[in-house]
Amino acid sequence: MELLKRKSRRKNLIKELNFMNLQEEPFLEIEDNDLFCKKVFSFLNTKKNKIQLHGDDYKENIQKSIQLLNETIDNIEVTPEKGRLLFFRENEIEAVSINVNEVFINLDKVLDLTKFSMGYGDFILVAEDFHFGLCTERTEYFYEFCVWGL
C-alpha cells in the first residue's frame, strides 16, 4: 500500500513539473533513491568550503540564499546537462533527474516547488556521480551554501 502511495506522489510531482522537459523516467527505483539521498547528505557533510548565510530571521536567510544562488548561476561558464534535484516531501525525498539548464531558467518556480522559498526544504542539485553540486542547506540558526565542480 505504501509503495502505491509513493508512486502516486511521484506522478503528482511529475505533473507539478509540467513546465520542464523531463525524461521518461526521472526517478530512481525507490530503494536506490533512498540510498542516493543518504549518499548526498553524507557527501555534503564532508564538504569544508561551505558559506554560512546569517540573517535576522529565516526569511532573510532564504533571500540571501536565493541571491547567492542567482549570482552563482550567472557566473557558471559551462552548465552540465543533467543532475538530480532533491524534492523534500512529507514522507520522503525524491531525487529527480532533471536538465540543469532548465532548473536555472525556471529557478523561481523550482524554488517554490521544492518549498525552499517557503523555508521548508533545502535546495540540493547534484550530479549522480557527485562531480558537481549546488546546495543550500538549512541549519538551526543559519543556512549553508556549497558549490563545487561548476
Side-chain angles (χ1 to χ4, degrees):
M1 185 64 124
E2 285 302 313
L3 181 63
L4 293 176
K5 287 180 183 178
R6 185 153 183 190
K7 286 183 178 184
S8 175
R9 288 189 294 267
R10 283 179 163 198
K11 285 182 183 178
N12 289 334
L13 178 56
I14 293 298
K15 288 177 186 174
E16 292 177 56
L17 287 165
N18 63 0
F19 58 92
M20 300 183 106
N21 182 21
L22 297 176
Q23 55 179 263
E24 225 171 276
E25 183 49 54
F27 297 105
L28 296 166
E29 293 295 325
I30 290 173
E31 289 177 4
D32 294 336
N33 179 82
D34 295 345
L35 181 61
F36 179 79
C37 292
K38 287 178 184 175
K39 286 180 182 178
V40 168
F41 290 108
S42 293
F43 183 80
L44 288 175
N45 283 334
T46 67
K47 299 306 275 180
K48 302 290 186 218
N49 62 340
K50 294 180 181 179
I51 298 169
Q52 292 183 0
L53 302 169
H54 297 271
D56 291 335
D57 56 26
Y58 82 96
K59 289 180 181 179
E60 190 174 339
N61 289 340
I62 293 167
Q63 289 309 313
K64 286 183 173 192
S65 298
I66 291 171
Q67 181 180 355
L68 190 53
L69 278 169
N70 280 313
E71 289 171 6
T72 302
I73 289 167
D74 288 345
N75 290 317
I76 294 173
E77 293 181 15
V78 178
T79 304
E81 186 176 332
K82 291 283 181 194
R84 288 214 174 259
L85 183 63
L86 274 56
F87 288 87
F88 293 76
R89 295 300 187 237
E90 293 175 26
N91 300 315
E92 62 267 332
I93 302 171
E94 295 292 355
V96 179
S97 178
I98 205 154
N99 179 293
V100 174
N101 196 46
E102 286 190 57
V103 171
F104 294 167
I105 291 169
N106 297 292
L107 187 62
D108 289 337
K109 289 180 185 177
V110 169
L111 292 174
D112 287 343
L113 192 55
T114 60
K115 299 182 182 177
F116 179 82
S117 59
M118 294 171 265
Y120 175 69
D122 300 332
F123 178 85
I124 301 175
L125 175 65
V126 297
E128 277 196 55
D129 62 0
F130 299 97
H131 180 70
F132 74 85
L134 181 59
C135 309
T136 301
E137 296 177 277
R138 298 165 298 136
T139 69
E140 191 171 350
Y141 299 108
F142 53 86
Y143 281 36
E144 290 184 327
F145 181 82
C146 183
V147 63
W148 70 93
L150 292 173

